């Protein structure tokens, strides 16, 4: 019995170690700013900058758990080629988060407008949410606008069709403060309401037609158009596939139970 117990512990330790090593989520990032650097400082996540050519390659995104569409530095960003956009669209099977503002300007130690801990918190919340069910998507500024189902903004004409709504333009708008309308949403967990991000969030990816149930935060109260500033959709939970770790654990448990039953039967003879 002692040998069986020791063997069980050995099998369990191997399985547990394998499971723990797989807990880090791999995130592909299109757009080079402070976001990828910040993600790489966070335990449990790793970020890789990717190019349009890589995204246009079939199967390239398969190794990633989530995709972030943002922009280079302080630019207004660029669109994806048609093959890259198609691959991103088919990649996304899980939760989607859209920051319809210039959130990247406040994220991480290298943020161009100074680091805002609340912006960091919002991104971390979104990473956890986007990697919860299936392959997730986070869009920032132009990447958020492109994720809507229609695009009349004049920027690339691209529409990933991940969330209903029309992307109408990128421009200089006052988006302060963020008025959170879904206080229990995972993306806004731990954020004050209203949330004012010091010195940033003054540019907007304008939109119309986003369903109210998907709007997590809006622009200033009393504005003529309380435009969405954070949008998030939730997918249905995706059942976890039987992993190698699960297979090994099941096999080990089955073998041990069979061995114990055999020894018990022999003891009765």
């Amino acid at each position: 019995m002692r040998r069986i117990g020791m063997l069980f512990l050995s099998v369990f330790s191997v399985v547990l170690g394998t499971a723990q090593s797989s807990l880090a989520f791999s995130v592909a990032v299109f757009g080079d700013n402070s976001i990828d650097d910040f993600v790489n400082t966070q335990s449990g996540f790793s970020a890789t900058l990717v190019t349009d050519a890589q995204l246009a390659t079939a199967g390239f995104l398969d190794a990633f758990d989530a995709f972030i569409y943002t922009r280079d530095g302080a630019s207004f960003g660029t669109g994806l080629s048609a093959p890259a956009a198609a691959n991103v669209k088919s990649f996304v099977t899980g939760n989607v988060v859209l920051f319809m503002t210039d959130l990247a300007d406040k994220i991480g130690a290298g943020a161009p407008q100074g680091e805002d801990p609340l912006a960091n918190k919002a991104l971390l919340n979104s990473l956890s949410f986007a990697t919860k069910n299936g392959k997730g998507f986070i869009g920032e500024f132009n990447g958020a606008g492109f994720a809507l189902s229609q695009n009349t903004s004049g920027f690339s004409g691209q529409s990933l069709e991940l969330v209903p709504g029309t992307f109408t333009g990128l421009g200089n708008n006052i988006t302060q403060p963020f008025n959170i309308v879904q206080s229990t949403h995972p993306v806004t967990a731990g954020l004050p309401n209203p949330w004012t991000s010091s010195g940033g969030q003054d540019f907007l990816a304008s939109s119309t037609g986003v369903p109210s149930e998907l709007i997590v935060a809006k622009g200033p109260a009393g504005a003529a158009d309380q435009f969405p500033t954070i949008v998030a959709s939730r997918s249905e939970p995706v059942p976890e596939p039987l992993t190698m770790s699960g297979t090994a654990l099941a096999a080990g448990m089955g073998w041990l139970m069979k061995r114990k039953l055999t020894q018990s039967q022999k003891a009765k003879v």
Side-chain angles (χ1 to χ4, degrees), residues 92-140:
V92 180
T93 60
N95 297 338
V96 175
V97 181
L98 307 181
F99 292 102
M100 310 294 288
T101 69
D102 51 340
L103 188 78
D105 291 348
K106 305 295 293 181
I107 289 175
Q113 293 184 357
E115 184 175 13
D116 182 349
L118 294 180
N120 292 347
K121 175 65 174 173
L123 180 63
L124 286 176
N125 287 348
S126 299
L127 282 168
S128 296
F129 182 69
T131 52
K132 191 70 67 177
N133 302 318
K135 307 280 190 173
F137 178 97
I138 298 174
E140 185 267 353

Side-chain angles (χ1 to χ4, degrees), residues 181-229:
V181 295
Q182 293 192 39
S183 59
T184 60
H185 198 285
V187 172
T188 55
L191 296 176
N193 190 16
W195 162 32
T196 297
S197 180
S198 58
Q201 314 315 313
D202 51 0
F203 280 83
L204 174 73
S206 302
S207 64
T208 61
V210 177
S212 60
E213 63 269 21
L214 302 183
I215 298 174
V216 178
K218 291 184 176 182
D225 177 17
Q226 281 192 277
F227 38 77
T229 52

Side-chain angles (χ1 to χ4, degrees), residues 5 20 38 52-53 55 72 86 99 102 104 112 130 162 178 188 206 257 269:
Q20 287 178 330
F38 174 73
D52 184 274
L55 295 173
D72 291 334
F99 292 102
D102 51 340
L162 302 178
F178 291 75
T188 55
S206 302
M257 291 182 68
V269 176

